[in-house]
Amino acid sequence: VAAGAAKSAAERVAMAAATGRAADVLLACRKAGECAARLMRPGNTNTQVTECIAKVAAEFGCEPVEKVVSYQVKRYIPDGHKQILTRALEPTDEKLECGEFEFEENEAYCVDIRLSTGGGRLKLLPAAPTVYKRRVDESYQLKMRASRVVFNEIAQRFPTMPFTLRALADERNAKFGIKPLIEHGLVEQYPLAADKDGGAVVACYKFTVLLTRTQTMQICPPPPDAHADAAAGASSAATADGRAIAAVSPPPLAQPLDTARTVTDKSVLQVLEMSTRRNNKKKNKKKNKGGGGGGAGG
């Protein structure tokens, strides 16, 4: 179930009509996303975001899903070096290369929050993956002609971004030729996974944030209440060279989620009350030349 990624009004209404544990995990995802957007500001750390997500999940009786990572994004780089975990690592888990870091101005992140009504532990599904991404740091001399054809098409059309097999010219040939590319590490596959608890409901809230000098702006999609801010002109910013950035807001959900749970943790409530805008405008200091008063003498 994807919260915040609905593509039509009908899908948004369907999400709003959720009840019981489905409503709990959907609202938990939304609140966790709101907290993440407010904490992602210069000076704060990725660890603070991870800890707050865990607190929000606990308020709704949910668990963050393991191995879910939010990445810094750059031009042609969808999975940058800086990473934010949805679930804190266990002592036996592999550590992140970047570790803890502080957010900085003029950064962009693709935030991926996934919560589960189960334990949040994943199991791989038997279905074959269909989404892949080229690994630009690997090379190998392929022997099969079909694999070379598939790899050349990937290198030309999808050099850095993920792609699906059905997007290739010959899907049947692609299914056959992709196997050596996987074996030799030329492409990375996105496996299908599910919560180990069979009856668990998993929700995803995914969006992009821009850390500008004056605010942390949520886009793709904007926050649920952004339609009011957009009307007042609050959901806009500018790049360093003065180009305008605007968030286009979808209509709000038709109905509230039917859940009796709410946020009571004081530290989480304080985060939700924070503004995504920052009052750090530099004051222009006027320099008095010639000793100040400039009255004309008569």
Side-chain angles (χ1 to χ4, degrees):
V1 181
K7 297 180 181 179
S8 67
E11 287 178 281
R12 290 195 292 270
V13 171
M15 288 195 309
T19 59
R21 295 297 285 148
D24 291 343
V25 72
L26 282 168
L27 187 57
C29 255
R30 179 181 297 180
K31 293 298 182 183
E34 292 176 10
C35 288
R38 285 161 172 75
L39 287 174
M40 295 176 68
R41 57 179 58 206
N44 285 355
T45 66
N46 55 339
T47 304
Q48 289 177 265
V49 176
T50 302
E51 292 174 349
C52 191
I53 292 173
K55 291 180 180 179
V56 174
E59 291 285 277
F60 292 87
C62 301
E63 289 287 343
V65 177
E66 65 177 351
K67 300 180 181 179
V68 176
V69 181
S70 301
Y71 291 97
Q72 181 188 17
V73 293
K74 297 182 178 181
R75 190 179 186 186
Y76 305 129
I77 305 177
D79 47 359
H81 179 65
K82 292 186 175 181
Q83 305 169 14
I84 309 166
L85 287 171
T86 296
R87 181 179 182 133
L89 293 172
E90 302 290 340
T92 57
D93 293 336
E94 184 180 351
K95 303 300 180 183
L96 291 180
E97 294 181 4
C98 67
E100 186 177 38
F101 65 87
E102 289 188 359
F103 297 107
E104 300 177 10
E105 288 183 9
N106 302 319
E107 290 183 335
Y109 290 85
C110 182
V111 182
D112 188 353
I113 298 175
R114 304 188 195 192
L115 305 181
S116 172
T117 58
R121 295 294 182 179
L122 295 176
K123 64 176 180 181
L124 295 179
L125 297 178
T130 60
V131 179
Y132 301 86
K133 183 169 72 73
R134 181 191 172 196
R135 296 183 61 181
V136 296
D137 56 335
E138 297 291 337
S139 62
Y140 182 80
Q141 188 64 37
L142 295 166
K143 298 177 176 61
M144 291 177 53
R145 180 180 179 280
S147 297
R148 293 197 300 270
V149 170
V150 171
F151 181 76
N152 289 337
E153 183 179 359
I154 294 171
Q156 292 176 7
R157 298 180 57 200
F158 310 102
T160 57
M161 296 297 178
F163 61 92
T164 62
L165 289 181
R166 65 177 179 272
L168 300 179
D170 187 342
E171 183 178 358
R172 183 176 180 180
N173 184 63
K175 290 180 179 179
F176 176 71
I178 197 76
K179 294 179 181 179
L181 275 64
I182 300 171
E183 294 172 0
H184 298 292
L186 297 179
V187 297
E188 177 183 358
Q189 58 185 351
Y190 290 73
L192 300 175
D195 197 300
K196 289 183 178 179
D197 298 335
V201 180
V202 178
C204 171
Y205 191 95
K206 196 165 186 176
F207 55 92
T208 304
V209 292
L210 308 179
L211 276 61
T212 69
R213 184 177 62 84
T214 58
Q215 66 175 316
T216 299
M217 189 167 67
Q218 180 178 334
I219 61 173
C220 304
D225 57 351
H227 62 287
D229 292 339
S235 291
S236 61
T239 60
D241 58 0
R243 290 179 295 169
I245 305 173
V248 180
S249 308
L253 296 178
Q255 306 170 23
L257 293 168
D258 185 10
T259 174
R261 295 177 181 263
T262 185
V263 176
T264 58
D265 188 294
K266 291 183 179 180
S267 62
V268 176
L269 290 173
Q270 289 177 352
V271 173
L272 290 172
E273 290 174 359
M274 293 169 55
S275 173
T276 56
R277 300 180 68 84
R278 294 180 285 279
N279 186 19
N280 60 351
K281 295 181 179 179
K282 297 180 181 179
K283 296 181 179 179
N284 295 323
K285 295 181 179 180
K286 296 182 179 180
K287 295 181 180 180
N288 295 327
K289 297 182 179 180

